[in-house]
Amino acid sequence: MGYVTNSAILPVLIGKGGLIISDSLNHNSIVNGARGSGATIRVFQHNTPSHLEKVLREQIAEGQPRTHRPWKKIIVVVEGIYSMEGELCKLPEIVAICKKYKAYVYLDEAHSIGAVGKSGRGVCELLGVDTADVDIMMGTFTKSFGSCGGYIAGSKELIQYLKYTCPAHLYATSISPPAAQQIISAIKVILGEDGSSRGAQKLARIRKNSNFFRSELQKMGFEVLGDNDSPVMPIMLYNPAKIPAFSRECLKQNVAVVTVAFPATPLLLARARICLSASHTKEDLLKALEVISQVGDLVGIKYFPAEPKKQQQQQQQKQGKGTIKLE
């Protein structure tokens, strides 16, 4: 799975005398992988390229702790779509900075591969970044591909090196044939190599579903994190006591939601994470929105004023009548 891919690959890529610069909201698997590598770890403010540049400049100037020798290797680790924020990575700016300071880029595409981009090729395609500029691309087969396992994409030399040294490859059991075939078939569908337009239709539908659901939740007055086109939508709950209340009340009305609390998020930043897929129909979305809206009122998590649809229409009608009278 993706967790093992991150936590097993990072210690193989870098070790003592190396520097890992990690986004402050990177997934736990990246954090554990970085800690296990023995490299020095520095963190930059979430999705802030200017702070990344500041950290890079400081670290290159200072060098290794105590000896102040140059770093053997510098890897900048970011995610394509942040799993708990639903935000897209500012990849073009980050890649430009890494090129400038000759650092390697490690991109975790667990939530973005097969879900965003015109042909489902992830954030590089969506944001117009050349994949040759990203040194290591990691992803999981457990989300868009509906199977198990994870992957690393990179140069031929890198992959050859990992085959000989990565414990997750050397000591693990091979992926089962049905799981492997599921991945191959899913890739063919996404790329349109199955002879149909199913992949393109699904990609268009997931984008449409995501943007519709996000805008409707915001109109209702919920605080929704993330960017447009992202299928991950965190609804902020904040109060830890509201986590089970929101989840159970939704479940009573046959809507299952995923709630996320400490330690996956900070103690007072609890949230419900909505992940949409292309198989959700318009009826599913409307039913879910209706239930979430009712439960939101009950639990008290609509932190912004809702858009008053009926009142707006009435006011417009009155204004329209008013103008007629004036004329």
Side-chain angles (χ1 to χ4, degrees):
M1 60 184 202
Y3 191 100
V4 176
T5 309
N6 273 332
S7 51
I9 289 286
L10 280 166
V12 180
L13 294 174
I14 194 166
K16 207 163 183 271
L19 173 68
I20 293 174
I21 301 180
S22 178
D23 188 289
S24 60
L25 295 181
N26 271 345
H27 192 260
N28 181 257
S29 58
I30 294 170
V31 174
N32 282 346
R35 285 175 182 166
S37 69
T40 304
I41 303 163
R42 293 289 176 266
V43 175
F44 70 96
Q45 284 167 14
H46 171 60
N47 225 0
T48 313
S50 57
H51 189 244
L52 166 64
E53 185 167 18
K54 183 171 176 276
V55 172
L56 262 169
R57 285 175 67 174
E58 283 174 4
Q59 292 304 317
I60 290 169
E62 283 179 24
Q64 293 183 40
R66 293 197 302 278
T67 62
H68 300 292
R69 286 180 184 157
W71 298 102
K72 290 179 184 174
K73 201 183 292 177
I74 300 174
I75 298 180
V76 174
V77 188
V78 291
E79 290 185 39
I81 290 178
Y82 288 87
S83 57
M84 290 299 157
E85 274 64 41
E87 291 173 10
L88 291 162
C89 168
K90 290 180 181 171
L91 197 59
E93 297 94 320
I94 287 167
V95 164
I97 290 164
C98 290
K99 269 186 172 180
K100 183 179 172 183
Y101 293 97
K102 294 182 171 58
Y104 295 106
V105 183
Y106 183 109
L107 175 65
D108 177 340
E109 284 221 276
H111 287 267
S112 54
I113 196 75
V116 296
K118 196 165 185 281
S119 59
R121 292 168 193 261
V123 285
C124 288
E125 185 178 51
L126 184 72
L127 303 174
V129 176
D130 185 356
T131 49
D133 293 335
V134 180
D135 302 284
I136 303 124
M137 297 175 83
M138 169 270 167
T140 172
F141 292 127
T142 57
K143 294 178 174 68
S144 296
F145 305 101
S147 184
C148 60
Y151 69 86
I152 290 285
S155 66
K156 193 176 179 182
E157 295 82 5
L158 172 77
I159 302 305
Q160 203 64 35
Y161 169 73
L162 290 176
K163 279 181 177 175
Y164 294 136
T165 53
C166 179
H169 178 76
L170 290 169
Y171 299 106
T173 313
S174 298
I175 197 165
S176 66
Q181 186 55 53
Q182 164 66 26
I183 296 162
I184 294 163
S185 302
I187 290 171
K188 282 183 176 173
V189 169
I190 290 167
L191 295 177
E193 289 176 7
D194 63 333
S196 74
S197 60
R198 272 198 307 164
Q201 287 169 3
K202 281 177 178 287
L203 285 162
R205 206 176 310 135
I206 192 171
R207 195 179 304 120
K208 191 179 167 190
N209 283 355
S210 304
N211 293 340
F212 166 73
F213 207 80
R214 184 183 298 280
S215 66
E216 288 300 309
L217 285 172
Q218 285 167 339
K219 283 176 192 171
M220 288 172 183
F222 290 104
E223 185 176 350
V224 187
L225 303 185
D227 296 320
N228 276 347
D229 286 357
S230 167
V232 180
M233 267 159 273
I235 301 171
M236 296 307 294
L237 305 176
Y238 293 111
N239 190 331
K242 292 183 179 181
I243 304 164
F246 182 74
S247 178
R248 287 168 193 166
E249 289 300 325
C250 285
L251 196 58
K252 277 181 191 173
Q253 299 190 53
N254 297 327
V255 174
V257 292
V258 175
T259 49
V260 187
F262 184 82
T265 63
L267 192 61
L268 297 176
L269 293 179
R271 61 202 67 180
R273 190 178 74 163
I274 310 291
C275 288
L276 291 184
S277 82
S279 56
H280 285 120
T281 63
K282 191 76 180 263
E283 291 74 42
D284 292 336
L285 300 182
L286 292 170
K287 161 76 175 160
L289 284 165
E290 185 191 336
V291 170
I292 289 169
S293 180
Q294 287 172 13
V295 175
D297 288 326
L298 179 70
V299 179
I301 53 168
K302 291 186 178 178
Y303 296 112
F304 294 105
E307 281 189 18
K309 291 177 191 172
K310 289 178 184 174
Q311 287 176 14
Q312 277 180 344
Q313 287 168 0
Q314 286 167 359
Q315 281 173 356
Q316 283 168 359
Q317 285 169 358
K318 283 176 186 175
Q319 284 168 357
K321 286 173 187 172
T323 50
I324 292 163
K325 284 176 187 173
L326 285 168
E327 283 168 8

